C-alpha cells in the first residue's frame, strides 16, 4: 500500500480512442437489475474483528475474506466469513470465522460450532477445494501465524488436518490462496501467498507526524516468498516452493488468480504484489514455472512502476476466447485492466475502457468479473476502502469508500453504475473481501463482501429485464473432482463466451465453482464445449437456457434445476 507521491495525471487520456464510446455509454438506459441488501433478513449476523487496540499493528489494516461454497453438497451455496482475533495481552472478546448453511428459503443458519469450526485464529484468506477427491469441499484458511487445513468429513463437520497433512510448522503472514492441479495428475495442489516478514514483537514504528504511531506501508518490511505444495495423493503435501521456480523472497503478495495464459491446457498463475512487480508464473509442464510477467507487460504500470496490487481476477471480458486481467491498486494508481493480444502480451486499457479514471481516487481490494445483468458480457465489481481511518486528516480521501460496478457494453467500454443499482450497495464501506454466487437458485449472481473491522454484506441480484442464463457445474473423474482448470465455452447466434473453473481470485476470497453464462432473452444455445483438465473435450448441442446443468466427465450432462 504505497504512499508515494501521486502519479502525474493520465497521460494521453484525451487522445484515447474510447472517449466517444465512453460518452455514448454514459447515456445508456436503466441497467436492468438491482442489488438489494438482504444481509439482515438472510440471518448473517457477523462483524469482523481486526484486533485493533491502538497499537497500529500491520495485519489490522487488511481485513479478511469470504467464500461461497456448497459444503454439504445439497446444490445450494453456503457462506463462509473469515475473522481475526484479539492480540495476546489485549483480550476483549472471542471471535471466530462463521459458516452459514443455506436454508434454501433465502435465509442461512449459523452452523459454525456444529461443523467444528468454532476455533480462534487470526484468519485472513480462504481457498475451497476437494483435495482428496471424496466429493466434499475442504477448506484452507490462511492466517497470521499457522495456516489451517480443515477436511470435510461429508457428515456436516470438518476435522483439522493441518499437522497430519504436512502443512503444519510454518508460521507466516499469509493472505490469498488457491487450489489448482499444476501437474494435471487429478489431485489439487495448493498455492499460498505471503505478504511480508512480520511479527508483533518486531512491528516497525511508523508515524505521519513524527510523534504518533501509524500503520506502516510494506516498504518498511522485507518481502516473503509464496509457497507451493504438491498433493501426494495420500492426504499429505510436499513443499515444492524451492524446486518449482516459485521461490522469490522479494514478493509482497496479496492476490492470486489461476489462468491459462498461453492456452496450452496447463494452469498458470498470476500474483498481485504490493509495491513489488506482479508475477506471471508460466507452467512449463514439468513441475516448474517461469516468471514471464515482465515480457508479458503485466509486471508494472504503463509508466514502468510497481503498483500496490491488492486483488486480482482473470476472465474473458471481451469474449475473445482469451482471458484478460483486472488488478486493484492503491488510490491514485487506478485499477489495472489488461487486455490480451495475439502475441502473448497484455495492454493496460483501463483509461480508454472507462475503468481507469473512476477508480483513480479509490483504494481497491476485492475484485471479480461476473455477468451482473446476464447480457453475455462480463462486468467488473470492485470493493474499496482505505487502510487508516486517519487518512481523512491528511488527505481529502475517505476511509470508507463506495464499491464500484463497471457495466460492460460488450464493446470494450465500461461504466460505473453502482449508484444506479441500489442505494444500499453504493454506500461507502471499508471494503476488503468480495465473492459471487447464486445463493437463491434463480440463475443470476449475488454478491458477498466483507469490511475491515465491520459487518459483512450479502446483496441479492434482482433481475428486472427477464434475462436468462445457463449455469454449469462440472464433476471431474480423471480430472480433479472440482474440475478446477476446466474451460467451458458456449456458442449462440454467431457469438461465444468462455469461462474457466477456478478457485482463488479477488482478494482473500473465493467465489462459487459453477460457471454462469448470461444469454439475454435467448431460449437456447447452439453448443456447449468443455475442455477437461485431463485433456479430453466434450460437446453438447442445442441446450435450453434458464437451466442449471451438471456435467460429469465422460458421463454426460443432465439438468439440475430450471429457473
Amino acid at each position: 500500500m504505497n504512499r508515494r507521491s501521486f502519479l502525474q495525471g493520465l497521460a494521453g487520456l484525451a487522445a484515447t480512442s474510447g472517449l466517444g464510446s465512453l460518452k455514448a455509454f454514459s447515456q445508456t438506459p436503466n441497467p436492468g437489475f438491482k442489488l438489494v441488501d438482504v444481509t439482515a433478513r438472510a440471518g448473517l449476523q457477523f462483524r469482523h474483528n481486526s484486533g485493533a487496540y491502538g497499537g497500529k499493528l500491520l495485519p489490522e489494516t487488511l481485513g479478511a475474506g469470504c467464500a461461497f461454497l456448497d459444503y454439504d453438497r445439497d446444490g445450494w451455496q453456503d457462506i463462509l466469513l473469515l475473522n481475526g482475533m484479539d492480540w495476546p495481552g489485549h483480550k476483549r472478546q472471542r471471535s471466530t470465522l462463521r459458516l452459514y448453511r443455506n436454508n434454501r428459503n433465502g435465509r442461512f443458519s449459523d452452523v459454525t460450532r456444529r461443523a467444528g469450526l468454532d476455533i480462534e485464529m487470526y484468519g485472513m484468506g480462504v481457498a475451497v477445494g476437494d483435495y482428496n477427491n471424496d466429493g466434499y469441499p475442504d477448506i484452507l484458511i490462511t492466517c497470521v501465524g499457522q495456516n489451517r487445513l480443515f477436511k470435510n468429513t461429508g457428515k456436516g463437520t470438518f476435522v483439522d488436518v493441518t499437522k497430519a497433512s504436512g502443512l503444519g510448522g510454518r508460521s507466516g503472514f499469509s493472505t490469498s490462496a488457491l487450489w489448482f492441479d499444476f501437474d494435471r495428475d487429478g489431485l489439487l495442489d495448493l498455492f499460498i501467498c505471503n505478504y511480508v516478514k512480520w511479527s508483533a514483537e518486531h512491528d516497525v514504528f511508523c508515524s505521519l507526524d513524527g510523534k504518533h504511531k501509524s500503520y506502516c506501508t510494506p516498504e518498511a518490511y522485507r518481502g516473503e516468498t509464496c509457497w507451493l505444495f504438491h498433493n501426494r495423493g495420500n492426504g499429505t503435501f510436499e513443499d515444492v516452493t524451492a524446486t518449482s521456480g516459485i521461490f522469490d523472497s522479494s514478493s509482497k503478495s496479496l492476490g492470486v488468480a489461476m489462468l491459462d495464459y498461453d492456452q496450452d491446457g496447463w494452469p498458470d498463475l498470476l500474483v498481485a504484489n504490493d509495491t513489488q512487480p506482479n508475477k506471471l508464473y508460466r507452467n512449463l509442464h514439468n513441475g516448474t514455472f517461469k516468471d514471464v510477467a515482465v515480457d508479458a507487460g503485466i509486471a508494472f504500470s504503463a509508466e514502468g512502476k510497481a503498483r500496490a496490487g491488492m486483488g486480482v481476477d482473470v476472465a474473458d471480458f471481451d469474449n475473445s476466447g482469451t482471458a484478460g486481467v483486472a488488478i486493484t491498486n492503491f488510490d491514485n494508481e487506478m485499477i489495472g485492466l489488461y487486455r490480451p493480444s495475439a502475441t502473448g502480451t497484455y495492454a493496460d486499457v483501463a483509461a480508454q475502457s472507462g475503468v481507469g479514471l473512476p477508480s483513480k481516487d479509490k483504494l481497491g481490494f476485492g475484485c471479480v468479473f461476473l455477468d451482473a445483468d446476464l447480457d453475455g458480457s462480463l462486468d467488473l465489481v470492485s470493493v474499496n476502502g482505505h487502510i487508516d481511518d486517519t487518512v481523512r486528516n491528511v488527505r481529502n480521501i475517505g476511509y470508507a469508500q463506495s464499491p464500484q460496478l463497471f457495466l460492460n457494453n460488450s464493446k470494450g467500454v465500461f461504466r460505473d453504475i453502482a449508484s444506479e443499482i441500489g442505494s444500499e450497495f453504493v454506500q461507502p464501506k471499508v471494503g476488503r473481501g468480495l465473492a459471487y454466487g447464486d445463493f437463491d437458485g434463480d440463475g443470476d449472481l449475488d454478491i458477498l463482501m466483507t469490511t475491515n473491522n465491520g459487518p459483512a454484506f450479502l446483496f441479492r441480484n434482482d433481475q428486472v429485464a427477464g434475462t436468462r442464463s445457463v449455469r454449469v457445474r462440472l464433476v471431474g473423474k480423471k480430472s480433479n473432482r472440482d474440475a478446477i482448470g476446466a474451460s467451458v465455452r458456449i456458442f449462440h447466434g454467431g457469438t461465444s463466451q468462455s469461462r474457466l473453473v477456478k478457485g482463488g481470485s479477488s482478494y482473500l476470497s473465493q467465489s462459487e465453482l459453477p460457471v454462469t453464462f448470461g444469454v439475454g432473452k435467448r431460449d437456447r444455445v447452439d453448443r456447449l464445449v468443455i475442455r477437461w483438465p485431463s485433456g479430453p473435450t466434450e460437446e453438447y448441442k442445442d441446450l435450453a437456457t434458464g437451466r442449471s446443468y451438471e456435467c460429469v466427465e465422460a458421463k454426460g450432462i443432465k439438468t439440475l434445476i430450471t429457473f
Side-chain angles (χ1 to χ4, degrees):
M1 286 153 286
N2 187 358
R3 299 191 197 204
R4 299 185 301 267
S5 59
F6 290 172
L7 298 176
Q8 299 299 311
L10 292 174
L13 180 59
T16 55
S17 60
L19 288 182
S21 298
L22 281 170
K23 183 177 180 180
F25 193 28
S26 67
Q27 302 168 358
T28 54
N30 187 292
F33 71 101
K34 295 288 184 182
L35 291 178
V36 180
D37 184 353
V38 295
T39 311
R41 75 186 76 168
L44 302 183
Q45 298 178 343
F46 174 86
R47 187 172 185 88
H48 173 252
N49 175 24
S50 72
Y53 63 91
K56 298 283 186 176
L57 302 182
L58 181 63
E60 297 167 1
T61 66
L62 295 180
C66 56
F68 278 111
L69 73 163
D70 183 7
Y71 87 95
D72 52 1
R73 231 182 72 182
D74 66 349
W76 293 77
Q77 293 297 316
D78 311 301
I79 286 175
L80 185 70
L81 299 171
L82 275 292
N83 212 344
M85 61 182 289
D86 289 341
W87 297 108
H90 301 274
K91 190 72 175 177
R92 296 166 299 181
Q93 61 181 300
R94 187 175 189 275
S95 54
T96 73
L97 60 77
R98 286 287 182 263
L99 177 64
Y100 291 94
R101 184 178 185 273
N102 194 327
N103 296 337
R104 313 182 197 182
N105 60 359
R107 293 188 56 82
F108 293 79
S109 295
D110 185 343
V111 296
T112 311
R113 183 180 296 274
R114 187 193 319 166
L117 295 174
D118 186 32
I119 303 169
E120 276 202 301
M121 63 190 93
Y122 203 101
M124 297 294 296
V126 55
V128 179
D130 184 4
Y131 78 90
N132 57 0
N133 286 334
D134 67 351
Y136 289 90
D138 310 296
I139 300 173
L140 185 283
I141 306 296
T142 64
C143 300
V144 175
Q146 173 66 63
N147 298 324
R148 310 288 281 270
L149 177 60
F150 295 95
K151 183 175 73 172
N152 193 329
T153 66
K155 301 176 182 178
T157 60
F158 291 84
V159 177
D160 188 340
V161 295
T162 306
K163 184 177 180 180
S165 68
L167 298 179
R170 293 172 176 83
S171 183
F173 187 168
S174 298
T175 53
S176 295
L178 60 75
W179 297 98
F180 75 133
D181 183 6
F182 74 81
D183 55 356
R184 293 184 20 175
D185 64 352
L187 299 167
L188 289 177
D189 310 301
L190 178 63
F191 184 90
I192 298 176
C193 292
N194 288 302
Y195 191 33
V196 295
K197 292 184 181 296
W198 180 90
S199 67
E201 296 77 18
H202 297 95
D203 188 69
V204 177
F205 180 87
C206 295
S207 177
L208 295 175
D209 59 11
K211 298 178 181 179
H212 303 93
K213 192 175 190 297
S214 63
Y215 290 115
C216 290
T217 65
E219 289 98 332
Y221 297 93
R222 293 171 55 197
E224 179 64 286
T225 184
C226 299
W227 294 329
L228 179 62
F229 297 95
H230 177 250
N231 191 334
R232 292 190 176 106
N234 61 357
T236 67
F237 294 84
E238 174 190 7
D239 185 347
V240 295
T241 306
T243 59
S244 65
I246 292 295
F247 184 86
D248 179 5
S249 60
S250 69
S251 288
K252 299 176 181 180
S253 303
L254 289 175
V256 59
M258 189 193 78
L259 72 164
D260 187 358
Y261 154 71
D262 48 7
Q263 296 187 292
D264 62 355
W266 291 74
D268 311 301
L269 291 176
L270 177 61
V271 179
N273 281 320
D274 189 356
T275 70
Q276 293 293 314
N278 300 318
K279 302 292 183 180
L280 177 54
Y281 291 112
R282 183 180 182 182
N283 193 326
L284 300 183
H285 311 177
N286 59 1
T288 66
F289 294 80
K290 179 182 179 181
D291 178 19
V292 297
V294 173
D295 292 341
I298 207 164
F300 304 99
S301 71
E303 294 82 9
K305 297 180 179 180
R307 290 189 282 192
M310 270 51 133
V312 57
D313 198 12
V314 297
D316 181 13
F317 65 82
D318 60 359
N319 290 336
S320 66
T322 305
V325 175
I327 300 177
T328 56
N329 296 297
F330 209 71
D331 67 78
N332 209 51
E333 289 185 337
M334 303 193 304
I335 291 175
L337 184 66
Y338 297 89
R339 178 171 285 128
S341 72
T343 60
T345 59
Y346 293 90
D348 189 346
V349 296
Q352 57 265 43
S353 71
V355 169
L357 192 59
S359 65
K360 192 169 185 286
D361 63 348
K362 308 291 187 184
L363 199 168
F365 280 90
C367 64
V368 293
F369 286 107
L370 76 163
D371 189 354
D373 58 352
L374 301 182
D375 69 343
S377 296
L378 289 171
D379 312 302
L380 176 64
V381 182
S382 171
V383 294
N384 309 299
H386 221 281
I387 61 168
D388 195 330
D389 60 3
T390 63
V391 67
R392 64 177 69 91
N393 301 325
V394 181
R395 293 187 288 167
N396 188 27
I397 295 176
Y399 179 51
Q401 301 178 359
S402 298
Q404 294 173 295
L405 196 157
F406 295 97
L407 194 70
N408 187 343
N409 75 343
S410 78
K411 298 178 181 179
V413 177
F414 293 80
R415 178 172 65 96
D416 182 9
I417 61 165
S419 62
E420 303 171 33
I421 55 175
S423 59
E424 299 152 323
F425 180 77
V426 78
Q427 286 297 312
K429 305 169 182 67
V430 188
R432 294 296 186 262
L434 177 67
Y436 61 79
D438 180 14
F439 83 87
D440 52 359
D442 63 355
D444 56 31
L445 294 173
D446 311 299
I447 291 177
L448 178 67
M449 70 172 69
T450 64
T451 64
N452 194 50
N453 223 32
F457 294 90
L458 178 63
F459 292 95
R460 188 185 67 222
N461 189 333
D462 285 353
Q463 297 286 322
V464 297
T467 48
R468 298 183 177 185
S469 67
V470 172
R471 286 172 52 81
V472 185
R473 176 179 180 265
L474 301 185
V475 179
K477 289 298 184 179
K478 185 178 179 181
S479 303
N480 66 86
R481 178 84 181 194
D482 291 326
I484 290 175
S487 169
V488 186
R489 194 164 187 172
I490 65 168
F491 298 82
H492 51 88
T495 64
S496 69
Q497 303 177 49
S498 64
R499 303 283 186 271
L500 187 69
V501 180
K502 62 182 190 291
S505 299
S506 191
Y507 170 77
L508 308 179
S509 302
Q510 177 159 334
S511 297
E512 64 174 7
L513 289 178
V515 297
T516 299
F517 298 91
V519 294
K521 298 183 183 298
R522 295 181 182 273
D523 294 325
R524 312 191 73 81
V525 296
D526 301 330
R527 290 189 296 145
L528 183 147
V529 179
I530 301 167
R531 185 175 71 177
W532 294 93
S534 59
T537 297
E538 297 178 15
E539 181 174 328
Y540 301 94
K541 296 182 178 180
D542 192 29
L543 296 177
T545 63
R547 296 185 183 184
S548 178
Y549 295 94
E550 179 182 80
C551 186
V552 180
E553 186 175 12
K555 299 290 185 181
I557 193 169
K558 67 177 182 181
T559 299
L560 293 176
I561 59 173
T562 300
F563 311 129

